[in-house]
Amino acid sequence: MNAIGVDVGGTKIAAAVVSPEGKILNEVRYPTQAVPPNRLVGTIAQAIMEVKDGFEVGGVCLAVPGLILAAENKVIFSPNLHEIEDIRLDEEMGDRTGLRVTVENDANAAAWGEFRYGAGADVDHQVFITLGTGVGGGVITHGVLLRGAQGAGGEMGHVTIDPKGPRCGCGNYGCLEALASGTAIQRLAREIANERSDSALGRLAIERQVLGEDVTRLAQEGDEAAISVLEETGMWLGIGLAGFVNIFNPEVIAVGGGAARAGELILGPARKEIQRRSRSPSRDLVETKEATLGPESGVLGAAGLARGEDGEYVLGPSKRVA
Ligand SMILES: [Zn+2]
């Protein structure tokens, strides 16, 4: 039986019908900004009904950014989607769609997508980390998604890496997110551009605001200043990941999100820190690689976490069922 995964983001709502093999059979997208706040629930339901048309579907899961209580199917806090906070989404959506609807944190869903169908498809123990505007993550151990007592587990972006580091969006200082996100890359790029105004990075920063993708492009073209931005970012990332390697002993660390497109320019320095700071035998086993599903990991993972009327995963309990 197929399942529907819905990626409810600040910019778009993407709903997809996914087969047990992880194939997207149908997909619809709505820009979130075009939806009046009081119509958000209705629009998500509409996207589900539209994408479902003509397909047999066993359940739906919504992937939502923020703090989610998966066990209660409730969004407690979602930075850009306050309209869906504190309501029983399973009941609201169930009434409107006639399907069982569950809710999961978006990074957990993306982690599950990579585990079932992407970088972790051949392993049972995977750490996923996504480097976007913020840093999110998810941990799968023995084939089970780690949620913690309240469903708030796996918040890897807010582990303190440097207590004297820059302020993080969460209010703390020196979180992994403050040092290794896309936002952190932009901040560091500004600093290094100021110091090295004769570099390609420095010259671009005089013309306009430097974006994360500019840093990647300039680094790929060989600009030393841009390379050093990604090296430092990779170092902080690796310090964070070394801790996770020690704790979870994963077979694979999958790194996704926009900044992961810098590939080896970030992953190389990260691996060096993992080797330096984590312990044997965990460090000898772990393979740190780029996530493979890109932005599709959200809908694929959400579909993978959809449950049927019997409470079981619609697409099967393990990737090996597929
Ligand atoms: Zn933080």
Side-chain angles (χ1 to χ4, degrees):
M1 184 76 93
N2 309 310
I4 291 177
V6 187
D7 194 349
V8 187
T11 57
K12 66 166 193 329
I13 298 163
V17 177
V18 177
S19 76
E21 294 76 31
K23 200 163 171 275
I24 293 179
L25 304 175
N26 193 20
E27 190 166 17
V28 300
R29 283 160 188 267
Y30 291 111
T32 312
Q33 288 98 330
V35 181
N38 59 348
R39 293 286 325 277
L40 190 56
V41 170
T43 304
I44 296 168
Q46 191 186 325
I48 293 168
M49 295 316 286
E50 194 181 322
V51 81
K52 175 181 179 286
D53 193 31
F55 293 93
E56 278 219 52
V57 169
V60 183
C61 180
L62 313 179
V64 181
L67 177 59
I68 314 298
L69 292 193
E72 293 178 31
N73 280 307
K74 242 186 206 170
V75 177
I76 300 304
F77 172 75
S78 187
N80 300 311
L81 302 164
H82 295 300
E83 305 77 40
I84 53 173
E85 288 170 358
D86 278 326
I87 52 176
R88 285 294 302 247
L89 280 167
D90 51 344
E91 290 168 9
E92 284 277 343
M93 294 288 167
D95 289 348
R96 289 168 193 248
T97 63
L99 291 163
R100 178 166 176 162
V101 180
T102 54
V103 187
E104 187 60 65
N105 169 269
D106 62 341
N108 276 350
W112 193 254
E114 287 294 337
F115 172 69
R116 285 289 309 263
Y117 304 116
D122 296 325
V123 303
D124 291 325
H125 307 267
Q126 175 204 272
V127 166
F128 170 77
I129 193 135
T130 173
L131 313 177
T133 312
V135 171
V139 178
I140 288 133
T141 187
H142 296 283
V144 176
L145 180 65
L146 182 144
R147 290 197 176 86
Q150 298 167 291
E155 277 293 343
M156 292 133 94
H158 300 285
V159 169
T160 304
I161 301 299
D162 175 8
K164 295 196 174 73
R167 185 103 191 232
C168 180
C170 74
N172 265 328
Y173 290 86
C175 293
L176 183 57
E177 176 165 309
L179 292 160
S181 59
T183 316
I185 290 174
Q186 282 196 30
R187 177 187 45 75
L188 188 59
R190 273 198 303 277
E191 286 172 20
I192 292 186
N194 274 342
E195 288 163 17
R196 298 167 71 169
S197 52
D198 57 336
S199 65
L201 181 69
R203 289 193 295 275
L204 183 64
I206 292 166
E207 284 170 33
R208 63 169 171 86
Q209 195 194 3
V210 176
L211 305 174
E213 62 221 51
D214 296 321
V215 178
T216 300
R217 178 176 48 81
L218 292 175
Q220 283 163 347
E221 288 167 10
D223 181 58
E224 291 293 333
I227 290 171
S228 71
V229 171
L230 296 177
E231 258 173 9
E232 182 170 337
T233 306
M235 175 196 77
W236 292 119
L237 174 65
I239 292 172
L241 294 179
F244 306 145
V245 168
N246 281 337
I247 299 166
F248 300 114
N249 188 196
E251 296 160 279
V252 164
I253 296 175
V255 183
R261 280 183 224 129
E264 287 307 302
L265 290 161
I266 278 189
L267 295 185
R271 269 190 218 109
K272 220 180 267 174
E273 295 301 323
I274 292 169
Q275 287 307 310
R276 184 177 291 161
R277 294 169 192 275
S278 63
R279 305 204 61 186
S280 205
S282 302
R283 71 169 180 217
D284 310 321
L285 176 77
V286 69
E287 199 187 335
T288 305
K289 53 184 179 183
E290 230 177 295
T292 61
L293 302 178
E296 309 272 64
S297 62
V299 285
L300 287 170
L305 290 166
R307 292 175 187 274
E309 293 306 327
D310 57 1
E312 302 294 332
Y313 290 137
V314 176
L315 301 186
S318 147
K319 56 191 176 276
R320 296 200 175 85
V321 170

